[in-house]
Amino acid sequence: MNAPVIAASILAADFARLGEEAERVLAAGADWIHFDVMDQHYVPNLTVGPMVCAALRRFGIRAPIDVHLMVEPVDALALAFAEAGADLISFHPEASRHPHRTVQAIRRAGCQVGLALNPATPLSWLDHLLEELDLVLLMSVDPGFGGQSFLPMVLPKIRAVRARIETLRRPVRLEVDGGIKADTVGEAAAAGADTFVAGTAIFGAPDYAAAIAGLRAAIAAGAG
Ligand code: DX5
Ligand code: ZN
């Protein structure tokens, strides 16, 4: 299995000081910056676009930027994020008319590609796409807002995707997103996730390093 990755979701950061927040969370031990993009169409909320991603790069953020597109349509914005310095771009397949074409376009633009599935989205989307992916993102809340509670219904889905990934020859990451905290991350790790998005659990804590250390300890205990 891949080494665990903690992706800090900037959705819970102080947007007025975003560059410093990203710097602080990386210094505190986060591996990736998880960049949640919402369009008030695919989801009922609105966040930030590629200009803000490019601004983080200009500010000096060098860590992987893991862009989670919750937008419809997908293609033009995905390419704009590739230009803006994203490393990995995930999208929701039902928001794209031609998901396979979207996967190929993101890869051609030089980024890794992830497919994001909501709690009620069936795994059959993976049937003809899994082999083309670098990451599967399983939502453990309905997308649109930070600070929601982890849905245990996603645990069997994590196990099922892990089993499918194990049949591949390539390492594909399995990311879980939504309600990840010290008391839920262990079960997600035990079910087979290796990449963990956390927003409120990190940015809502007084000490980012202690929050991240707590997540890592719970991941190790769960995966153990
Ligand atoms: C929700 C976003 C998540 C969100 C997670 O639509 O995709 O990445 O920021 O936030 P927490 O960790 O607070 O549940
Ligand atoms: Zn996300």
Side-chain angles (χ1 to χ4, degrees), residues 26-190:
L26 292 165
D31 301 295
W32 295 357
I33 296 298
H34 182 83
F35 197 102
D36 284 305
V37 184
M38 305 187 184
D39 65 351
Q40 211 247 309
H41 171 68
Y42 178 73
V43 288
N45 197 359
L46 184 66
T47 59
V48 286
M51 286 174 66
V52 177
C53 182
L56 284 181
R57 286 298 188 215
R58 274 198 307 276
F59 183 78
I61 300 301
R62 298 273 166 267
I65 297 185
D66 168 34
V67 172
H68 177 192
L69 294 179
M70 288 161 275
V71 304
E72 182 176 2
V74 178
D75 292 19
L77 209 52
L79 296 183
F81 270 99
E83 278 286 304
D87 292 279
L88 189 150
I89 299 176
S90 297
F91 68 98
H92 290 256
E94 74 282 13
S96 170
R97 179 79 70 171
H98 302 290
H100 182 265
R101 175 174 288 150
T102 304
V103 168
Q104 305 247 301
I106 292 171
R107 191 172 302 296
R108 255 200 322 274
C111 293
Q112 293 199 305
V113 192
L115 205 66
L117 303 174
N118 294 328
T121 306
L123 296 183
S124 55
W125 283 104
L126 297 175
D127 288 353
H128 307 287
L129 285 173
L130 181 57
E131 303 207 343
E132 311 283 330
L133 302 175
D134 300 292
L135 176 143
V136 177
L137 188 169
L138 290 180
M139 293 297 305
S140 38
V141 297
D142 282 292
F145 302 94
Q148 303 180 77
S149 298
F150 181 84
L151 295 169
M153 69 180 277
V154 80
L155 291 170
K157 283 181 87 175
I158 297 174
R159 283 191 282 272
V161 175
R162 168 54 56 198
R164 289 176 76 157
I165 286 174
E166 293 304 312
T167 68
L168 303 173
R169 261 169 279 142
R170 264 170 354 100
V172 172
R173 286 202 165 267
L174 177 41
E175 182 171 47
V176 62
D177 182 6
I180 291 293
K181 303 199 174 333
D183 62 354
T184 51
V185 75
E187 302 179 276

